[in-house]
Amino acid sequence: MDVAFLLDKYFKGAKNVSIDVFDAQTLNTVYKDVINAMTSHFEIEISVLQALSYCLYEMMDNVHIHSGKPLGTAMTYYDGPQHTLCILIADDGMGIRASLSENEKYKDITEADALRLCLEDQITDGKGMGFGLYTTSKLVDSIGKKFILHSGTHKLVVEDNKTSVIENGFWQGTLIYMEIGTATEIDPGQVVDHRTDVEEEYNESFIETGELESLW
């Protein structure tokens, strides 16, 4: 994977961008390291981290489940002055259209329609629940500043409350990039349609008992 290209394209001018390569065996460790690094920025609203922790794991796990390739790349950067967290998850696997078309229901889907459809609830190639990108899209709806989903020759872009799908370059596999605001308190349960307790899951995994007590 051309990391230099990704840095120049999505993190131009940023310093100290965190770059992690993961596979099925290291996914949990890398995921925890990334979230712990974000948690160290105390100015980030905890409700944002609670929702994001769920979405990030789902995005990373999608690489393992759907891409057909063993490795994924996670890149993160926190812009403190702008209160913005930038996250990129990428693989060089089969891509979204090819993955969805493994489900007979979507065998003839176009690449552009596949990008639009995969953000909806319960849209899957049959290997997962179809919930990860849906929750990510809800997080973007809540506090997103920019969201890009690039697969093949098409790119879905959400910016300024507008969604567009364009033909723009080629990415072998799936690339997700998003910029989210970190200063606004949100309801993390709403991001996951209250189907799981993301607040408790985050608190138990990433906050020491003493820190947790100090929040109340």
Side-chain angles (χ1 to χ4, degrees), residues 111-142:
E111 194 168 70
D113 285 342
L115 294 188
R116 295 186 184 95
L117 195 62
C118 73
L119 298 181
E120 298 181 11
D121 192 10
Q122 299 181 18
I123 303 299
T124 177
D125 58 8
K127 300 173 188 172
M129 297 184 297
F131 194 53
L133 282 178
Y134 168 68
T135 57
T136 301
S137 70
K138 285 176 67 68
L139 180 66
V140 171
D141 287 343
S142 179

Side-chain angles (χ1 to χ4, degrees), residues 61-193:
D61 198 40
N62 279 349
V63 174
H64 166 59
I65 295 174
H66 304 292
S67 75
K69 288 292 186 74
L71 298 178
T73 298
M75 305 174 70
T76 56
Y77 170 70
Y78 178 57
D79 185 339
Q82 297 299 318
H83 304 289
T84 300
L85 191 57
C86 306
I87 299 170
L88 184 146
I89 306 293
D91 65 68
D92 59 355
M94 68 175 66
I96 290 175
R97 192 209 65 78
S99 177
L100 269 185
S101 67
E102 292 186 343
N103 183 332
E104 183 69 18
K105 185 177 180 180
Y106 309 116
K107 66 176 182 177
D108 297 320
I109 197 169
T110 66
E111 194 168 70
D113 285 342
L115 294 188
R116 295 186 184 95
L117 195 62
C118 73
L119 298 181
E120 298 181 11
D121 192 10
Q122 299 181 18
I123 303 299
T124 177
D125 58 8
K127 300 173 188 172
M129 297 184 297
F131 194 53
L133 282 178
Y134 168 68
T135 57
T136 301
S137 70
K138 285 176 67 68
L139 180 66
V140 171
D141 287 343
S142 179
I143 52 173
K145 297 183 177 183
K146 189 173 187 177
F147 176 79
I148 294 173
L149 179 61
H150 193 176
S151 184
T153 60
H154 287 76
K155 180 184 291 186
L156 181 147
V157 181
V158 180
E159 193 169 18
D160 298 327
N161 296 316
K162 297 178 182 178
T163 301
S164 60
V165 178
I166 58 175
E167 285 195 67
N168 184 263
F170 177 76
W171 182 263
Q172 175 62 52
T174 302
L175 183 153
I176 302 169
Y177 173 77
M178 63 180 180
E179 300 172 1
I180 60 171
T182 61
T184 301
E185 186 175 357
I186 62 173
D187 178 359
Q190 190 173 41
V191 171
V192 296
D193 286 345

Side-chain angles (χ1 to χ4, degrees), residues 12-32:
K12 197 174 187 68
K15 296 181 179 179
N16 300 319
V17 177
S18 176
I19 304 171
D20 295 281
V21 177
F22 60 91
D23 58 16
Q25 286 69 46
T26 61
L27 189 155
N28 284 329
T29 299
V30 171
Y31 161 73
K32 289 179 179 179

